[in-house]
Amino acid sequence: SEKHKRDTINRLNNHIFKYIGDMDIRNIKKNRYRQFFRNLTNIPETAKRLFNILDNTFKYASTLEIVERNIIADIGFSVLIPRK
């Protein structure tokens, strides 16, 4: 839906893009994403949504062979953002 699209783009603009800038997806290492998610421990719902967006993005890129594998799938979300 348009609302979902708008919300997703806003989340990317507010959190992801300002953190990774215009880096090529192939050059961003898992450690960078781990650091990013550690900064979101105080907003776990937003962190989960961003994690899902990135996971889907990497699945898509992996399917099209833009990246070798989905590095987000290698990250344990519950380890980075523990439940309160």
Side-chain angles (χ1 to χ4, degrees):
S1 70
E2 281 301 314
K3 181 182 179 338
H4 177 73
K5 178 181 171 182
R6 184 180 63 248
D7 290 347
T8 299
I9 290 170
N10 285 338
R11 284 186 185 98
L12 290 169
N13 285 328
N14 292 334
H15 298 284
I16 302 290
F17 294 150
K18 71 179 185 180
Y19 185 74
I20 62 172
D22 60 355
M23 293 177 69
D24 188 315
I25 191 172
R26 293 169 286 211
N27 298 329
I28 305 172
K29 304 299 180 204
K30 184 172 30 175
N31 187 45
R32 188 156 185 93
Y33 287 112
R34 283 197 318 257
Q35 292 170 353
F36 167 74
F37 282 106
R38 284 190 186 121
N39 294 329
L40 299 177
T41 56
N42 60 333
I43 48 173
E45 183 60 34
T46 299
K48 184 65 174 173
R49 289 176 191 265
L50 290 167
F51 188 87
N52 288 333
I53 291 168
L54 288 173
D55 186 44
N56 288 330
T57 301
F58 269 90
K59 282 179 187 174
Y60 178 81
S62 178
T63 300
L64 296 180
E65 297 181 343
I66 296 167
V67 297
E68 289 187 33
R69 64 183 181 32
N70 177 359
I71 64 171
I72 301 301
D74 296 340
I75 298 173
F77 180 80
S78 60
V79 174
L80 297 178
I81 311 289
R83 292 183 141 192
K84 295 190 178 198

